[in-house]
Amino acid sequence: MIGVAIIGAGQAGLQAAVSLRQGGYSGSIALFGDEPQAPYQRPPLSKKFLSGEIGAERLELRPQQFFTENNITLHLGTSVASLDVSASEITTNDGKTHAFEHAILATGTRPRALNIPGADLEGVLTLRSIADVDRLRPSIAEGKKAVIVGGGYIGLEVAAVAKSLGLDVTVIETFDRVLQRVVSPDMSDFFAKTHALRGVKINAGEAVTRISLNHGSRVVETNLNTEYPADIILIAVGAVPNTELAEAAGLEVKNGIVVDENAKTSAENIFAAGDCTSFYSRLYDRHLRLESVQNAIDQAKIAALSILGTAETYDPVPWFWSDQYDIKLQIAGLSDGYDQADLRGDPDTNAFGIVYGKDGTLIAVDTVNQPRGHMLARRAIGKPLADFDWHP
């Protein structure tokens, strides 16, 4: 029997195993991951790894020796096909059944599909894994045309890398502006201008309706009857949580696997952590599902503590970042629902911030190339807006 079966070998799954051993857990730990690689970090995939600045070995979160020394069994290239809550068993894709005392679901997310004709054509790509980058990289060459569908973090980060490598890049965004779901119009304008100055074409308010082949060449068609020939097509329209295993097992799921403040699911001995979870935030007075390294690490620590019998309450200040060219965007908190957005500093200097308030409370701060402001913001979220006197 496995002491703790961790389903998902990403950042959250690994952190849960690390925290269990650091906390003195002496039982067996098994980590199940459907990719062939040992746990690795994903943020560089759309940045330094895609550009070739770093290799796959730099993505590794821990060397193989770590798993051996800490008696953590890796089941790589192994997906979990079913979870039996009442029997405390999982069955893997090879037909083997594993009993466990506790389980942690760290199943993460997958790229959201674009439900249009031609989305499944060869050469239409997404970016979530090392394998995805390996499929994308051979097509990257100076002068080639790249069409990126989606103006969120991933889309813009890939656009920055592709443009830096000499490609002709077009970003098509359904919403009226890039990053619309996460930042204010001022910040969206800044990033649109940043890309435009480098020659990236951003077409906002335009929806892709079809991807077709024309004499062997790919063409992206939109609702404006515009056609974009493309050597590379990347779909980057968000992510959906991998909750199918939990749903089939009868666990509570609502835009993620529902967990309490101790990372426990609706089953007594099953926990969950990371991008796949939905938890209640006292700070924001609503359920959240966060896609971030911060959430993956911190919630996994809480899950481990709960198994160790030293549970703590999870109520984080979320934070995120994005690197595009020489610009580092750092976000503390969640700005949606704001009723006040104050621009501090001058965007033309590439060093400024936007401070968001709601009902007189500081709820979020976006900073560009201002690491000190970001750190100050993380400590001030949830406090009176008038007390946050940071300026670039």
Side-chain angles (χ1 to χ4, degrees), residues 190-250:
F190 170 77
F191 276 97
K193 291 175 182 176
T194 295
H195 283 273
L197 285 171
R198 290 163 173 81
V200 173
K201 295 176 284 292
I202 294 181
N203 298 330
E206 189 169 359
V208 174
T209 56
R210 176 188 295 272
I211 298 170
S212 59
L213 287 175
N214 185 1
H215 300 294
S217 299
R218 302 177 192 87
V219 177
V220 177
E221 304 173 26
T222 76
N223 62 329
L224 302 182
N225 294 321
T226 306
E227 295 185 351
Y228 299 91
D231 299 299
I232 301 168
I233 300 172
L234 178 74
I235 307 298
V237 292
V240 293
N242 294 320
T243 60
E244 291 78 8
L245 185 68
E247 289 181 77

Side-chain angles (χ1 to χ4, degrees), residues 175-340:
F175 290 120
D176 293 334
R177 53 189 176 86
V178 298
L179 299 173
Q180 181 166 323
R181 285 175 286 191
V182 292
V183 300
S184 70
D186 282 339
M187 190 63 77
S188 291
D189 288 348
F190 170 77
F191 276 97
K193 291 175 182 176
T194 295
H195 283 273
L197 285 171
R198 290 163 173 81
V200 173
K201 295 176 284 292
I202 294 181
N203 298 330
E206 189 169 359
V208 174
T209 56
R210 176 188 295 272
I211 298 170
S212 59
L213 287 175
N214 185 1
H215 300 294
S217 299
R218 302 177 192 87
V219 177
V220 177
E221 304 173 26
T222 76
N223 62 329
L224 302 182
N225 294 321
T226 306
E227 295 185 351
Y228 299 91
D231 299 299
I232 301 168
I233 300 172
L234 178 74
I235 307 298
V237 292
V240 293
N242 294 320
T243 60
E244 291 78 8
L245 185 68
E247 289 181 77
L251 300 179
E252 184 180 359
V253 171
K254 188 175 182 181
N255 185 32
I257 303 168
V258 177
V259 294
D260 66 11
E261 67 274 12
N262 306 132
K264 187 176 74 173
T265 70
S266 53
E268 189 64 32
N269 63 332
I270 299 177
F271 301 81
D275 295 9
C276 64
T277 68
S278 172
F279 66 94
Y280 177 73
S281 165
R282 289 179 174 82
L283 179 62
Y284 289 97
D285 191 25
R286 66 180 189 270
H287 273 81
L288 302 177
R289 188 178 69 79
L290 302 174
E291 298 173 12
S292 70
V293 172
Q294 167 270 315
N295 181 59
I297 291 175
D298 293 347
Q299 196 173 41
K301 291 178 180 178
I302 296 296
L305 289 173
S306 295
I307 292 172
L308 291 166
T310 56
E312 294 182 5
T313 297
Y314 185 58
D315 192 22
V317 171
W319 55 269
F320 316 85
W321 80 93
S322 178
D323 294 319
Q324 300 169 40
Y325 309 108
D326 56 348
I327 304 296
K328 178 177 282 293
L329 168 66
Q330 292 175 288
I331 297 176
L334 301 172
S335 62
D336 54 308
Y338 67 87
D339 56 29
Q340 184 174 347

Side-chain angles (χ1 to χ4, degrees), residues 46-184:
S46 57
K47 302 184 263 295
K48 291 184 177 181
F49 184 64
L50 176 62
S51 70
E53 187 175 339
I54 64 173
E57 71 285 351
R58 292 273 300 277
L59 297 179
E60 290 182 354
L61 288 166
R62 300 282 178 165
Q64 181 60 48
Q65 182 182 1
F66 169 84
F67 299 99
T68 303
E69 292 176 348
N70 287 276
N71 192 25
I72 298 170
T73 303
L74 291 176
H75 296 269
L76 301 178
T78 304
S79 60
V80 174
S82 65
L83 165 65
D84 188 327
V85 172
S86 59
S88 294
E89 291 180 344
I90 57 172
T91 301
T92 52
N93 59 334
D94 56 8
K96 295 180 181 178
T97 298
H98 304 265
F100 60 80
E101 294 177 8
H102 297 91
I104 299 175
L105 299 176
T107 48
T109 62
R110 63 183 181 277
R112 186 181 301 279
L114 196 60
N115 188 24
I116 60 169
D120 57 351
L121 286 174
E122 184 178 354
V124 179
L125 306 171
T126 57
L127 199 158
R128 175 66 184 169
S129 66
I130 287 177
D132 291 337
V133 177
D134 287 343
R135 283 189 286 269
L136 177 60
R137 235 196 230 130
S139 301
I140 294 179
E142 188 171 354
K144 286 195 172 184
K145 295 181 181 295
V147 173
I148 298 170
V149 183
Y153 293 131
I154 297 296
L156 294 184
E157 288 168 1
V158 173
V161 171
K163 192 62 188 177
S164 298
L165 294 175
L167 279 75
D168 181 312
V169 182
T170 300
V171 175
I172 302 173
E173 169 56 61
T174 300
F175 290 120
D176 293 334
R177 53 189 176 86
V178 298
L179 299 173
Q180 181 166 323
R181 285 175 286 191
V182 292
V183 300
S184 70

